[in-house]
């Protein structure tokens, strides 16, 4: 969105890390898969907390890389539970970057992750109903 200043979500990030040289490809660019794994971890944390147990990723929808992440950037990943089915949960995830020497943040990517809660037998199990946060 050129010309429009975006602000990251008000809540605390589920994950915050510094992009390091080990997270790059041979050209020095941050791997998209590294960023996606951070997003999956953030969503997994929300899914496990809501389902009160193990949950597994079954789908990722709508991921597009909007801006690059470079070595030294602080990456903050925000994850919000959006809906719940009988055994599944949809979690909206946004990743934001901030350079080390600036206060401005930029959205890097966003996606919706779907998780299914599973039991000890690795079969789907029911999850608590969704209670939207008070506005």
């Amino acid at each position: 969105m050129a010309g429009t200043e975006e602000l990251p979500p008000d809540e605390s990030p589920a994950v915050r890390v510094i992009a390091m040289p080990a997270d790059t490809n041979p050209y020095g660019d941050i791997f998209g898969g590294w960023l996606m794994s951070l997003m999956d971890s953030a969503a997994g944390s929300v899914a496990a907390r809501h389902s009160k147990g193990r949950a597994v990723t079954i789908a990722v929808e709508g991921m597009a890389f909007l801006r690059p992440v470079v070595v030294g950037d602080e990456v903050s990943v925000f994850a919000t539970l959006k809906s719940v089915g009988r055994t599944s949960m949809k979690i909206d995830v946004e990743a934001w970057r901030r350079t080390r020497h600036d206060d401005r943040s930029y959205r890097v990517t966003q996606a919706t992750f779907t998780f299914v809660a599973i039991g000890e037998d690795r079969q789907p199990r029911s999850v608590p109903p969704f209670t939207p946060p008070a506005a």
Side-chain angles (χ1 to χ4, degrees), residues 9-84:
D10 286 333
E11 72 260 13
S12 296
V15 172
R16 180 176 282 157
V17 298
I18 302 297
M20 300 299 284
D23 307 319
T24 64
N25 63 25
Y27 297 103
D29 301 319
I30 296 297
F31 277 116
W34 175 80
L35 188 56
M36 190 173 186
S37 74
L38 293 178
M39 294 172 74
D40 191 40
S41 292
S45 178
V46 170
R49 197 167 41 249
H50 179 77
S51 69
K52 299 182 181 5
R54 188 173 182 176
V56 295
T57 310
I58 62 162
V60 179
E61 300 170 40
M63 189 160 198
F65 295 98
L66 309 172
R67 290 184 175 86
V69 174
V70 299
V71 171
D73 282 354
E74 177 185 271
V75 177
S76 297
V77 182
F78 301 88
T80 306
L81 182 66
K82 285 300 177 186
S83 66
V84 171

